[in-house]
Amino acid sequence: MARYMSITLTKAGVTCRARLLDDEAPLTCAAVWDALPQEGDAFHAKYARNEVYALVPRITAAPHRENPTVTPIPGDVCLFDFEPWEIGNPAYGYEPGSAAHHAQGATDLALFYGRNNLLINGDLGWVPGSVFATIDDGLADLAEACNGLWLRGVEGETLAFARA
């Protein structure tokens, strides 16, 4: 039986539904499901292109990589697992005390809303993400809201993930 989660841009009031890919990423799906709900400040990607994400406390039960990609497609929902040293660089702009600076590292829960994404970072090189869900309802509205974040900024926006 399929499992679903809701993903919400809280300030924009836009929610979509994503189906967990239990067959393709069973360990990641189990770890995320057990860790829900999660919420964090929303960020729009600098490098990947059409990505909005939140950094949350590290989901330590998630494998480092499962069902990986460096070219996510619209509707992909990915988990990135980061050691503390990987995203603590001040150039990334994360506030001191945020999940990015946690001693355990952080989990990046990301959604991709458009085409032509490439997961590469100038400091780290390729950054494969674990695709663990696919948005099956509400992607068009979410994409419009995400594009608005790119144009007008993310200040005050949060991204929430919950069981649906």
Side-chain angles (χ1 to χ4, degrees):
M1 182 162 189
R3 294 189 291 176
Y4 297 90
M5 66 179 184
S6 64
I7 304 171
T8 302
L9 286 168
T10 56
K11 184 177 172 184
V14 176
T15 298
C16 68
R17 184 181 77 164
R19 179 178 48 84
L20 272 64
L21 301 174
D22 284 300
D23 290 339
E24 294 88 346
L27 300 174
T28 304
C29 288
V32 171
W33 187 257
D34 290 345
L36 293 176
Q38 291 288 331
E39 185 171 350
D41 291 338
F43 296 95
H44 196 289
K46 289 181 181 181
Y47 304 105
R49 193 165 179 160
N50 301 301
E51 173 191 2
V52 171
Y53 65 96
L55 296 174
V56 299
R58 196 166 190 194
I59 300 174
T60 56
H64 185 66
R65 197 169 292 142
E66 184 179 41
N67 195 30
T69 188
V70 293
T71 55
I73 62 173
D76 277 352
V77 183
C78 294
L79 178 144
F80 299 87
D81 179 61
F82 290 110
E83 298 289 335
W85 60 268
E86 290 180 292
I87 58 173
N89 184 332
Y92 296 148
Y94 301 122
E95 295 290 328
S98 72
H101 297 285
H102 194 278
Q104 276 194 330
T107 292
D108 172 340
L109 296 177
L111 62 92
F112 294 85
Y113 65 90
R115 298 176 51 96
N116 301 319
N117 303 296
L118 188 60
L119 301 179
I120 191 164
N121 176 292
D123 294 332
L124 301 173
W126 296 105
V127 185
S130 297
V131 182
F132 73 93
T134 185
I135 297 171
D136 68 355
D137 185 46
L139 181 57
D141 290 338
L142 185 70
E144 184 178 338
C146 289
N147 196 51
L149 295 177
W150 174 251
L151 296 172
R152 292 179 283 290
V154 297
E155 189 169 0
E157 184 62 88
T158 59
L159 193 58
F161 300 80
R163 294 179 181 184

